[in-house]
Amino acid sequence: MCGRFTITHPNEALAALFDAVPGNDLPQGPNFNICPTNPVVVVTSDGGQRRLRAMRWGFLPTWYKAPNDGPLIINARSDTVATKPAFREAVRARRCIVPASGFYEWSEGEKGARLPWYFTLADGLPMALAGVWQRWGEMDTVAIVSTEAGPGMDAIHHREPVVLERADWPLWLGEAGHGAAVLMKASAPGVLTKPFRVGVEVNSNRASGPGLIAPLAA
């Protein structure tokens, strides 16, 4: 699952990395505590032209009459994304990438305490999280695709976001034909950094600042 993430790389760096034309309404960073319903930067490809676009994190199916008309959908499970009515058209025609500098996941401590951990890429570059998007009214909305947790994550949580390797971006974005379903898998060993504990301050959606990703002292 992915319930919070960060973006500390500037939009100009994201545009260069993804070879994308940036929009004029992109949320400005850095943001060390991106929460559901926040605006996020998303990469789409239209006829081979990649664009950075602003979207609401929280996928709204076409039948919702209001944004709060049903459950808040921030993730799409890889095993059901092709069959669930909310996602099956989007995963065929509206796949996207959600850039992230890192993401948080929680383990359970004593008496049900939520203990946050922070993950980044081992090479320090922004992550390319697999996403699907949907236009709802005048608003574009997005969900991050999740899959069964792999080594390094499974001891903390049973699911993780799908992190796309650079060579797979064209296939996921629909630029390289069909067959993107094979990409919806856990990260290979060594792709993600060894996670480290961070302070419980990030448990609040009001928390902000670089201190949120500071490792706890041993």
Side-chain angles (χ1 to χ4, degrees):
M1 175 159 184
C2 183
R4 302 274 187 85
F5 65 97
T6 68
I7 189 71
T8 61
H9 296 80
N11 290 330
E12 293 80 4
L14 299 179
L17 176 66
F18 291 101
D19 192 23
V21 177
N24 296 322
D25 59 346
L26 300 177
Q28 298 300 310
N31 190 335
F32 296 89
N33 192 12
I34 298 174
C35 303
T37 75
N38 286 171
V40 296
V41 176
V42 171
V43 183
T44 62
S45 183
D46 306 309
Q49 175 62 69
R50 294 182 186 174
R51 301 185 184 278
L52 290 187
R53 302 168 58 178
M55 295 191 185
R56 173 194 189 263
W57 185 21
F59 188 99
L60 296 176
T62 55
W63 59 83
Y64 277 26
K65 295 181 174 60
N68 60 353
D69 201 33
L72 179 60
I73 305 173
I74 62 171
N75 295 130
R77 292 177 61 100
S78 60
D79 51 329
T80 59
V81 68
T83 56
K84 280 202 168 184
F87 302 123
R88 60 190 179 198
E89 177 59 28
V91 78
R92 285 196 297 267
R94 291 184 300 278
R95 296 189 300 273
C96 61
I97 290 172
V98 181
S101 301
F103 65 87
Y104 301 98
E105 194 50 82
W106 282 260
S107 62
E108 186 172 332
E110 294 183 4
K111 299 181 180 178
R114 297 181 73 233
L115 307 177
W117 299 76
Y118 189 58
F119 293 79
T120 62
L121 284 187
D123 60 13
L125 291 173
M127 297 176 173
L129 305 183
V132 292
W133 68 278
Q134 173 69 54
R135 170 62 63 92
W136 187 88
E138 298 299 315
M139 178 168 51
D140 292 331
T141 69
V142 64
I144 294 170
V145 180
S146 71
T147 190
E148 291 290 330
M153 171 63 82
D154 53 2
I156 296 173
H157 197 272
H158 65 285
R159 298 194 70 79
E160 66 176 88
V162 172
V163 181
L164 300 167
E165 296 184 21
R166 184 168 190 152
D168 295 328
W169 296 351
L171 183 57
W172 183 256
L173 291 173
E175 300 166 346
H178 303 288
V182 300
L183 305 179
M184 293 188 285
K185 60 184 185 300
S187 299
V191 171
L192 298 176
T193 57
K194 183 179 179 180
F196 55 85
R197 277 284 315 283
V198 295
V200 296
E201 292 79 8
V202 76
N203 292 359
S204 168
N205 59 13
R206 295 192 179 102
S208 63
L212 297 179
I213 61 172
L216 287 184

